[in-house]
Amino acid sequence: MPITTQQLIQWKQQGRTIVALTAWDYTTGRLLDKSGVDLILVGDSLAGMLGYETTIPLTLEEMLHHAKAVRRGVKNALVVFDLPFLTYQESFQQAMHSAGRALKEAGVQAVKIEGGYPAIVETVGHLVQAGVPVMGHIGLTPQSVHQLGLRQQGKTSTDSERLITEAIALEAAGAFSIVLEHIPSELAAQITQKLTIPTIGIGAGSGCDGQVLVTSDLLGLSEKQPPFAKMYANLSEAIAQAVQSFAVEVRDRQFPKK
């Protein structure tokens, strides 16, 4: 049976850890789903796969194109769609339009939006009331890279209190889960204990209810590896070796065999 947002909340109560990864194409989505991943995020980390230096240039049309492909490959996992920069910040009407397209055109089951400041919390409330499941995202928010950089967030008492307040507000607005990115593990554990909805950590320690990684980082396909990511395979090297072997055989007329 397909995984639902309510199941994720139940799993938190049961102490079952949530496994999440990113996907941007049919093949990856199908393989992750077949491998038993609980939640697949069509993340705006797609920007890196398209050659952008940050997530800022990514458009809603680009995200929709890739989300449709992922969704065609997924049967069981919950598919969450990252709303890209400036497709939800202007107004809750804009957010409703963008989220609606994600659910209607790509067939995803939820959207994720960054930030926990009052206007975003209000937007989350409007979306949830309209029947759109929303995942929050606080801490290091890549769409704010020009404002925050890529450094760890929540290191001061003031910042940590702000993040706790934001997390509680997002839950109250109806978010079904919250991504905690690149914050101190003690703070992430504290936030997790205060919420009844699951937290999904990325660079936030083991005290979260689940963990997510960018799949290209996990597989060794990224040009730059984040300090908190673990490489479980080095496909960049494997692909290079395979291509070089193919090239040698073609040039030596060993492939194809006569």
Side-chain angles (χ1 to χ4, degrees):
M1 293 290 292
I3 293 169
T4 67
T5 59
Q6 287 302 311
Q7 274 183 286
L8 299 187
I9 296 172
Q10 291 171 5
W11 288 349
K12 177 186 176 81
Q13 297 167 352
Q14 297 165 1
R16 183 195 184 286
T17 309
I18 299 163
V19 179
L21 285 169
T22 60
W24 312 284
D25 58 71
Y26 167 82
T27 300
T28 305
R30 180 178 60 83
L31 290 173
L32 295 184
D33 192 49
K34 188 176 179 182
S35 300
V37 171
D38 302 315
L39 187 154
I40 295 175
L41 174 65
V42 184
D44 61 3
S45 48
L46 167 66
M49 305 302 289
L50 298 182
Y52 297 130
E53 292 186 1
T54 71
T55 62
I56 304 300
L58 198 63
T59 67
L60 183 62
E61 298 301 329
E62 288 170 325
M63 284 291 298
L64 287 169
H65 174 80
H66 286 266
K68 290 176 185 178
V70 171
R71 191 69 187 86
R72 287 192 286 266
V74 176
K75 306 301 180 186
N76 298 307
L78 181 75
V79 181
V80 180
F81 181 99
D82 239 340
L83 290 181
F85 181 63
L86 281 189
T87 65
Y88 60 93
Q89 291 99 330
E90 290 182 10
S91 65
F92 75 83
Q93 291 93 342
Q94 183 200 33
M96 197 80 70
H97 176 76
S98 300
R101 290 194 64 190
L103 269 64
K104 287 171 66 69
E105 297 178 30
V108 302
Q109 293 102 328
V111 299
K112 180 173 76 65
I113 62 179
E114 294 185 5
Y117 51 91
I120 288 295
V121 172
E122 184 179 359
T123 294
V124 170
H126 284 293
L127 289 172
V128 172
Q129 288 174 14
V132 179
V134 179
M135 171 182 277
H137 183 161
I138 60 174
L140 173 59
T141 47
Q143 292 178 16
S144 303
V145 61
H146 296 314
Q147 186 179 48
L148 302 177
L150 296 176
R151 61 184 180 274
Q152 189 182 52
Q153 302 297 306
K155 296 173 71 173
T156 68
S157 59
T158 300
D159 285 343
S160 63
E161 286 299 325
R162 174 180 56 80
L163 291 175
I164 291 171
T165 300
E166 289 180 351
I168 293 171
L170 286 168
E171 178 180 34
F176 71 88
S177 67
I178 301 177
V179 170
L180 304 178
E181 181 167 357
H182 205 18
I183 65 175
S185 57
E186 298 83 2
L187 175 58
Q190 187 178 0
I191 292 172
T192 300
Q193 291 167 7
K194 287 181 177 292
L195 301 181
T196 60
I197 59 173
T199 59
I200 309 296
I202 177 167
S206 60
C208 299
D209 298 303
Q211 298 291 329
V212 63
L213 280 180
V214 174
T215 300
S216 56
D217 294 338
L218 179 145
L219 297 177
L221 290 171
S222 300
E223 290 186 69
K224 297 179 181 178
Q225 194 79 357
F228 49 75
K230 179 177 177 179
M231 187 189 301
Y232 286 80
N234 191 344
L235 294 194
S236 289
E237 186 175 306
I239 291 169
Q241 290 177 349
V243 172
Q244 289 164 9
S245 296
F246 171 70
V248 167
E249 290 192 8
V250 169
R251 288 166 182 149
D252 291 345
R253 296 189 179 277
Q254 295 175 1
F255 178 87
K257 297 291 185 181
K258 293 182 179 179

